[in-house]
Amino acid sequence: MDTLRNAANVIGLGGGRAAVPTATNRLLKYAPHPYFLAAGAVLSAGQLAFSIYDAVNRAEQRKVVAIEAEVKAREARKNLEETERKAEAAIAGRIAAEEKARQAEDLRAEAIRQREAAEAAQAQADEARRQAEERLMQGIPPEFRPTEEGKLQFRQRYGVRTDKINIAIVGESGVGKSSLLNSLRGLSPGDPNAARSGFNETTDFVRGYADTRDEKIVWYDVPGANTPRVQGWMYFVQQGLFVFDVLVIVFADRFTQTAGTLINNANKCSIPAFLVRTKADQLIYNAKSDAARPLSDQAAREMVVDQTRHMVEANLAQLGLPNQRVYIVSRTAMKKLVLNQPNHDIIDEQMFLDDIIDFECLDGSSNV
């Protein structure tokens, strides 16, 4: 390019890049002088170089633009990917939120169901309690079914053996249970190995006593019912009476709710129950003392027997229980009978012993 400018200056042409084509044309007028031919070639080469330079420059510019476009495209793709990722995260979050909402709704529905079930159960419990309280107010004891675990616990506590006939003497406090047990063994209260007896409740725990005549029989003295420690309708359960083979249910003056409850529970547990009215001698004495006219011992005895049987039948019917035999005995007559002593005061003592023996022979095995 400098050579071209020099050639232009030689022929009196100045100027810069714009003057080159004009100078070239002027030089051509002087052709075919070699100098001018060379100068034209130089000018043509300069134009070619300029064109190449310009093309390269434009190519570089296009390359820069392309690179910038690629960068922008990558940024756009990156932004698109980020947008898609956020969209997917948003969709996943929405799905998770919907799932949590569904789970929350399920939990709420389950909570409502459980609350309704609890309310229904509470209503049933309240109704059962109301009915139980109403039955108790009417003197009707609650239903009871002993468990095998409960039976085992009481057997171990009392030392009940399966190779014996285990007979429990039960009833309210002060009706003469211990005195009856002693007389059945031919003993008086002060004799060695006799059960304690008295006007107040003297039996603190269940204790077994071997029969003096039959080694297979064991009599059990049981604390009385209707005391501060043992309420009447709980007596059968708390004392574990369901582990014995036979219950001798004792009453004295009146046939009470406790006696009826014991009979009812014994029947439900398939335990034979003998109903015994004690203190017959005192009852006969009272009948003679209260009579409007003098009564003989025999007449007073017949009156006591007749009144007792009617009283028991009426009370059992009122409780919805079948009638059953009642044995009227006194401890004095029972002791004389057991000891084979002369005895003119027997009422049902002999029949009671015979029926116990018949049960022993018939059953021959323990209920426990």
Side-chain angles (χ1 to χ4, degrees), residues 79-103:
N79 292 336
L80 178 60
E81 291 174 355
E82 180 66 17
T83 301
E84 290 177 347
R85 186 189 65 77
K86 290 181 178 180
E88 291 175 355
I91 293 172
R94 180 175 58 81
I95 294 174
E98 291 175 351
E99 178 64 18
K100 288 183 179 180
R102 186 189 64 78
Q103 292 177 355

PDB file of all heavy atoms in Angstrom, residues 79-103:
ATOM      1  N   ASN A  79     -31.344 -21.136  31.413  1.00  0.00           N
ATOM      2  CA  ASN A  79     -32.526 -20.538  32.035  1.00  0.00           C
ATOM      3  C   ASN A  79     -33.760 -21.406  31.819  1.00  0.00           C
ATOM      4  O   ASN A  79     -34.606 -21.557  32.715  1.00  0.00           O
ATOM      5  CB  ASN A  79     -32.761 -19.136  31.469  1.00  0.00           C
ATOM      6  CG  ASN A  79     -31.673 -18.156  31.893  1.00  0.00           C
ATOM      7  OD1 ASN A  79     -31.016 -18.360  32.914  1.00  0.00           O
ATOM      8  ND2 ASN A  79     -31.470 -17.101  31.100  1.00  0.00           N
ATOM      9  N   LEU A  80     -33.839 -21.977  30.590  1.00  0.00           N
ATOM     10  CA  LEU A  80     -34.973 -22.850  30.294  1.00  0.00           C
ATOM     11  C   LEU A  80     -34.957 -24.088  31.188  1.00  0.00           C
ATOM     12  O   LEU A  80     -35.988 -24.495  31.738  1.00  0.00           O
ATOM     13  CB  LEU A  80     -34.947 -23.249  28.819  1.00  0.00           C
ATOM     14  CG  LEU A  80     -36.058 -24.218  28.371  1.00  0.00           C
ATOM     15  CD1 LEU A  80     -37.430 -23.590  28.601  1.00  0.00           C
ATOM     16  CD2 LEU A  80     -35.868 -24.616  26.911  1.00  0.00           C
ATOM     17  N   GLU A  81     -33.741 -24.675  31.306  1.00  0.00           N
ATOM     18  CA  GLU A  81     -33.619 -25.852  32.167  1.00  0.00           C
ATOM     19  C   GLU A  81     -33.970 -25.508  33.614  1.00  0.00           C
ATOM     20  O   GLU A  81     -34.628 -26.285  34.310  1.00  0.00           O
ATOM     21  CB  GLU A  81     -32.198 -26.412  32.078  1.00  0.00           C
ATOM     22  CG  GLU A  81     -31.876 -27.036  30.722  1.00  0.00           C
ATOM     23  CD  GLU A  81     -30.408 -27.439  30.621  1.00  0.00           C
ATOM     24  OE1 GLU A  81     -29.657 -27.136  31.583  1.00  0.00           O
ATOM     25  OE2 GLU A  81     -30.023 -28.043  29.606  1.00  0.00           O
ATOM     26  N   GLU A  82     -33.503 -24.345  34.076  1.00  0.00           N
ATOM     27  CA  GLU A  82     -33.814 -23.923  35.441  1.00  0.00           C
ATOM     28  C   GLU A  82     -35.314 -23.707  35.611  1.00  0.00           C
ATOM     29  O   GLU A  82     -35.912 -24.090  36.623  1.00  0.00           O
ATOM     30  CB  GLU A  82     -33.049 -22.641  35.764  1.00  0.00           C
ATOM     31  CG  GLU A  82     -33.297 -22.096  37.164  1.00  0.00           C
ATOM     32  CD  GLU A  82     -32.777 -23.014  38.244  1.00  0.00           C
ATOM     33  OE1 GLU A  82     -31.951 -23.908  37.939  1.00  0.00           O
ATOM     34  OE2 GLU A  82     -33.203 -22.859  39.401  1.00  0.00           O
ATOM     35  N   THR A  83     -35.894 -23.087  34.552  1.00  0.00           N
ATOM     36  CA  THR A  83     -37.346 -22.869  34.596  1.00  0.00           C
ATOM     37  C   THR A  83     -38.089 -24.196  34.627  1.00  0.00           C
ATOM     38  O   THR A  83     -39.055 -24.378  35.385  1.00  0.00           O
ATOM     39  CB  THR A  83     -37.786 -22.041  33.382  1.00  0.00           C
ATOM     40  OG1 THR A  83     -37.095 -20.785  33.386  1.00  0.00           O
ATOM     41  CG2 THR A  83     -39.285 -21.785  33.418  1.00  0.00           C
ATOM     42  N   GLU A  84     -37.620 -25.145  33.776  1.00  0.00           N
ATOM     43  CA  GLU A  84     -38.254 -26.466  33.758  1.00  0.00           C
ATOM     44  C   GLU A  84     -38.082 -27.173  35.103  1.00  0.00           C
ATOM     45  O   GLU A  84     -39.000 -27.828  35.601  1.00  0.00           O
ATOM     46  CB  GLU A  84     -37.657 -27.308  32.632  1.00  0.00           C
ATOM     47  CG  GLU A  84     -38.046 -26.822  31.237  1.00  0.00           C
ATOM     48  CD  GLU A  84     -37.373 -27.641  30.149  1.00  0.00           C
ATOM     49  OE1 GLU A  84     -36.431 -28.400  30.498  1.00  0.00           O
ATOM     50  OE2 GLU A  84     -37.780 -27.532  28.975  1.00  0.00           O
ATOM     51  N   ARG A  85     -36.847 -27.026  35.682  1.00  0.00           N
ATOM     52  CA  ARG A  85     -36.607 -27.657  36.984  1.00  0.00           C
ATOM     53  C   ARG A  85     -37.532 -27.074  38.050  1.00  0.00           C
ATOM     54  O   ARG A  85     -38.126 -27.798  38.855  1.00  0.00           O
ATOM     55  CB  ARG A  85     -35.147 -27.457  37.398  1.00  0.00           C
ATOM     56  CG  ARG A  85     -34.753 -28.205  38.680  1.00  0.00           C
ATOM     57  CD  ARG A  85     -33.379 -27.795  39.143  1.00  0.00           C
ATOM     58  NE  ARG A  85     -33.363 -26.393  39.529  1.00  0.00           N
ATOM     59  CZ  ARG A  85     -33.855 -25.948  40.696  1.00  0.00           C
ATOM     60  NH1 ARG A  85     -34.406 -26.775  41.550  1.00  0.00           N
ATOM     61  NH2 ARG A  85     -33.790 -24.659  40.976  1.00  0.00           N
ATOM     62  N   LYS A  86     -37.644 -25.729  38.020  1.00  0.00           N
ATOM     63  CA  LYS A  86     -38.537 -25.096  38.983  1.00  0.00           C
ATOM     64  C   LYS A  86     -39.984 -25.511  38.751  1.00  0.00           C
ATOM     65  O   LYS A  86     -40.745 -25.718  39.704  1.00  0.00           O
ATOM     66  CB  LYS A  86     -38.403 -23.579  38.890  1.00  0.00           C
ATOM     67  CG  LYS A  86     -37.073 -23.048  39.409  1.00  0.00           C
ATOM     68  CD  LYS A  86     -37.007 -21.536  39.308  1.00  0.00           C
ATOM     69  CE  LYS A  86     -35.691 -20.997  39.862  1.00  0.00           C
ATOM     70  NZ  LYS A  86     -35.611 -19.520  39.760  1.00  0.00           N
ATOM     71  N   ALA A  87     -40.328 -25.635  37.454  1.00  0.00           N
ATOM     72  CA  ALA A  87     -41.694 -26.066  37.146  1.00  0.00           C
ATOM     73  C   ALA A  87     -41.942 -27.484  37.655  1.00  0.00           C
ATOM     74  O   ALA A  87     -42.991 -27.779  38.243  1.00  0.00           O
ATOM     75  CB  ALA A  87     -41.938 -25.984  35.637  1.00  0.00           C
ATOM     76  N   GLU A  88     -40.938 -28.376  37.411  1.00  0.00           N
ATOM     77  CA  GLU A  88     -41.072 -29.749  37.909  1.00  0.00           C
ATOM     78  C   GLU A  88     -41.133 -29.775  39.427  1.00  0.00           C
ATOM     79  O   GLU A  88     -41.909 -30.532  40.026  1.00  0.00           O
ATOM     80  CB  GLU A  88     -39.895 -30.589  37.406  1.00  0.00           C
ATOM     81  CG  GLU A  88     -39.929 -30.844  35.906  1.00  0.00           C
ATOM     82  CD  GLU A  88     -38.684 -31.575  35.434  1.00  0.00           C
ATOM     83  OE1 GLU A  88     -37.771 -31.777  36.269  1.00  0.00           O
ATOM     84  OE2 GLU A  88     -38.628 -31.944  34.245  1.00  0.00           O
ATOM     85  N   ALA A  89     -40.277 -28.931  40.062  1.00  0.00           N
ATOM     86  CA  ALA A  89     -40.301 -28.866  41.525  1.00  0.00           C
ATOM     87  C   ALA A  89     -41.651 -28.353  42.015  1.00  0.00           C
ATOM     88  O   ALA A  89     -42.200 -28.836  43.016  1.00  0.00           O
ATOM     89  CB  ALA A  89     -39.172 -27.971  42.032  1.00  0.00           C
ATOM     90  N   ALA A  90     -42.183 -27.363  41.279  1.00  0.00           N
ATOM     91  CA  ALA A  90     -43.486 -26.827  41.664  1.00  0.00           C
ATOM     92  C   ALA A  90     -44.569 -27.886  41.516  1.00  0.00           C
ATOM     93  O   ALA A  90     -45.450 -28.028  42.372  1.00  0.00           O
ATOM     94  CB  ALA A  90     -43.812 -25.597  40.813  1.00  0.00           C
ATOM     95  N   ILE A  91     -44.474 -28.644  40.395  1.00  0.00           N
ATOM     96  CA  ILE A  91     -45.456 -29.719  40.187  1.00  0.00           C
ATOM     97  C   ILE A  91     -45.326 -30.778  41.277  1.00  0.00           C
ATOM     98  O   ILE A  91     -46.318 -31.245  41.851  1.00  0.00           O
ATOM     99  CB  ILE A  91     -45.273 -30.349  38.791  1.00  0.00           C
ATOM    100  CG1 ILE A  91     -45.631 -29.324  37.708  1.00  0.00           C
ATOM    101  CG2 ILE A  91     -46.116 -31.607  38.650  1.00  0.00           C
ATOM    102  CD1 ILE A  91     -45.308 -29.784  36.305  1.00  0.00           C
ATOM    103  N   ALA A  92     -44.032 -31.153  41.568  1.00  0.00           N
ATOM    104  CA  ALA A  92     -43.807 -32.142  42.631  1.00  0.00           C
ATOM    105  C   ALA A  92     -44.311 -31.619  43.971  1.00  0.00           C
ATOM    106  O   ALA A  92     -44.912 -32.350  44.767  1.00  0.00           O
ATOM    107  CB  ALA A  92     -42.324 -32.493  42.713  1.00  0.00           C
ATOM    108  N   GLY A  93     -44.047 -30.326  44.223  1.00  0.00           N
ATOM    109  CA  GLY A  93     -44.532 -29.732  45.467  1.00  0.00           C
ATOM    110  C   GLY A  93     -46.045 -29.731  45.534  1.00  0.00           C
ATOM    111  O   GLY A  93     -46.632 -29.989  46.588  1.00  0.00           O
ATOM    112  N   ARG A  94     -46.670 -29.434  44.381  1.00  0.00           N
ATOM    113  CA  ARG A  94     -48.134 -29.447  44.354  1.00  0.00           C
ATOM    114  C   ARG A  94     -48.671 -30.850  44.600  1.00  0.00           C
ATOM    115  O   ARG A  94     -49.625 -31.048  45.357  1.00  0.00           O
ATOM    116  CB  ARG A  94     -48.630 -28.926  43.007  1.00  0.00           C
ATOM    117  CG  ARG A  94     -50.150 -28.898  42.880  1.00  0.00           C
ATOM    118  CD  ARG A  94     -50.566 -28.247  41.575  1.00  0.00           C
ATOM    119  NE  ARG A  94     -50.003 -28.929  40.425  1.00  0.00           N
ATOM    120  CZ  ARG A  94     -50.513 -30.049  39.900  1.00  0.00           C
ATOM    121  NH1 ARG A  94     -51.577 -30.603  40.440  1.00  0.00           N
ATOM    122  NH2 ARG A  94     -49.957 -30.606  38.839  1.00  0.00           N
ATOM    123  N   ILE A  95     -47.998 -31.850  43.958  1.00  0.00           N
ATOM    124  CA  ILE A  95     -48.422 -33.240  44.163  1.00  0.00           C
ATOM    125  C   ILE A  95     -48.238 -33.645  45.624  1.00  0.00           C
ATOM    126  O   ILE A  95     -49.106 -34.276  46.237  1.00  0.00           O
ATOM    127  CB  ILE A  95     -47.633 -34.180  43.234  1.00  0.00           C
ATOM    128  CG1 ILE A  95     -47.998 -33.896  41.774  1.00  0.00           C
ATOM    129  CG2 ILE A  95     -47.904 -35.638  43.588  1.00  0.00           C
ATOM    130  CD1 ILE A  95     -47.170 -34.672  40.770  1.00  0.00           C
ATOM    131  N   ALA A  96     -47.059 -33.246  46.195  1.00  0.00           N
ATOM    132  CA  ALA A  96     -46.804 -33.564  47.603  1.00  0.00           C
ATOM    133  C   ALA A  96     -47.821 -32.881  48.504  1.00  0.00           C
ATOM    134  O   ALA A  96     -48.318 -33.464  49.478  1.00  0.00           O
ATOM    135  CB  ALA A  96     -45.382 -33.146  47.986  1.00  0.00           C
ATOM    136  N   ALA A  97     -48.129 -31.618  48.162  1.00  0.00           N
ATOM    137  CA  ALA A  97     -49.119 -30.896  48.961  1.00  0.00           C
ATOM    138  C   ALA A  97     -50.484 -31.558  48.863  1.00  0.00           C
ATOM    139  O   ALA A  97     -51.209 -31.691  49.860  1.00  0.00           O
ATOM    140  CB  ALA A  97     -49.192 -29.441  48.495  1.00  0.00           C
ATOM    141  N   GLU A  98     -50.831 -31.991  47.631  1.00  0.00           N
ATOM    142  CA  GLU A  98     -52.107 -32.685  47.457  1.00  0.00           C
ATOM    143  C   GLU A  98     -52.123 -33.998  48.230  1.00  0.00           C
ATOM    144  O   GLU A  98     -53.138 -34.365  48.829  1.00  0.00           O
ATOM    145  CB  GLU A  98     -52.357 -32.933  45.968  1.00  0.00           C
ATOM    146  CG  GLU A  98     -52.629 -31.657  45.172  1.00  0.00           C
ATOM    147  CD  GLU A  98     -52.754 -31.934  43.681  1.00  0.00           C
ATOM    148  OE1 GLU A  98     -52.462 -33.089  43.279  1.00  0.00           O
ATOM    149  OE2 GLU A  98     -53.136 -31.014  42.932  1.00  0.00           O
ATOM    150  N   GLU A  99     -50.958 -34.723  48.224  1.00  0.00           N
ATOM    151  CA  GLU A  99     -50.872 -35.982  48.968  1.00  0.00           C
ATOM    152  C   GLU A  99     -50.989 -35.735  50.468  1.00  0.00           C
ATOM    153  O   GLU A  99     -51.689 -36.460  51.188  1.00  0.00           O
ATOM    154  CB  GLU A  99     -49.549 -36.680  48.655  1.00  0.00           C
ATOM    155  CG  GLU A  99     -49.323 -37.980  49.419  1.00  0.00           C
ATOM    156  CD  GLU A  99     -50.334 -39.049  49.078  1.00  0.00           C
ATOM    157  OE1 GLU A  99     -50.998 -38.941  48.023  1.00  0.00           O
ATOM    158  OE2 GLU A  99     -50.469 -40.001  49.869  1.00  0.00           O
ATOM    159  N   LYS A 100     -50.299 -34.677  50.933  1.00  0.00           N
ATOM    160  CA  LYS A 100     -50.401 -34.339  52.350  1.00  0.00           C
ATOM    161  C   LYS A 100     -51.825 -33.934  52.708  1.00  0.00           C
ATOM    162  O   LYS A 100     -52.335 -34.289  53.778  1.00  0.00           O
ATOM    163  CB  LYS A 100     -49.432 -33.209  52.687  1.00  0.00           C
ATOM    164  CG  LYS A 100     -47.973 -33.634  52.704  1.00  0.00           C
ATOM    165  CD  LYS A 100     -47.069 -32.481  53.104  1.00  0.00           C
ATOM    166  CE  LYS A 100     -45.606 -32.921  53.151  1.00  0.00           C
ATOM    167  NZ  LYS A 100     -44.706 -31.804  53.535  1.00  0.00           N
ATOM    168  N   ALA A 101     -52.444 -33.194  51.799  1.00  0.00           N
ATOM    169  CA  ALA A 101     -53.829 -32.795  52.046  1.00  0.00           C
ATOM    170  C   ALA A 101     -54.738 -34.022  52.105  1.00  0.00           C
ATOM    171  O   ALA A 101     -55.635 -34.113  52.951  1.00  0.00           O
ATOM    172  CB  ALA A 101     -54.297 -31.833  50.958  1.00  0.00           C
ATOM    173  N   ARG A 102     -54.476 -34.986  51.185  1.00  0.00           N
ATOM    174  CA  ARG A 102     -55.272 -36.215  51.197  1.00  0.00           C
ATOM    175  C   ARG A 102     -55.042 -37.001  52.488  1.00  0.00           C
ATOM    176  O   ARG A 102     -55.989 -37.500  53.107  1.00  0.00           O
ATOM    177  CB  ARG A 102     -54.907 -37.089  49.990  1.00  0.00           C
ATOM    178  CG  ARG A 102     -55.783 -38.325  49.837  1.00  0.00           C
ATOM    179  CD  ARG A 102     -55.228 -39.246  48.770  1.00  0.00           C
ATOM    180  NE  ARG A 102     -53.915 -39.755  49.144  1.00  0.00           N
ATOM    181  CZ  ARG A 102     -53.732 -40.733  50.020  1.00  0.00           C
ATOM    182  NH1 ARG A 102     -54.760 -41.306  50.625  1.00  0.00           N
ATOM    183  NH2 ARG A 102     -52.509 -41.147  50.304  1.00  0.00           N
ATOM    184  N   GLN A 103     -53.743 -37.105  52.876  1.00  0.00           N
ATOM    185  CA  GLN A 103     -53.436 -37.805  54.117  1.00  0.00           C
ATOM    186  C   GLN A 103     -54.065 -37.101  55.317  1.00  0.00           C
ATOM    187  O   GLN A 103     -54.584 -37.750  56.230  1.00  0.00           O
ATOM    188  CB  GLN A 103     -51.921 -37.902  54.300  1.00  0.00           C
ATOM    189  CG  GLN A 103     -51.231 -38.803  53.288  1.00  0.00           C
ATOM    190  CD  GLN A 103     -49.725 -38.811  53.450  1.00  0.00           C
ATOM    191  OE1 GLN A 103     -49.169 -38.075  54.264  1.00  0.00           O
ATOM    192  NE2 GLN A 103     -49.052 -39.649  52.675  1.00  0.00           N
TER     193      GLN A 103
END
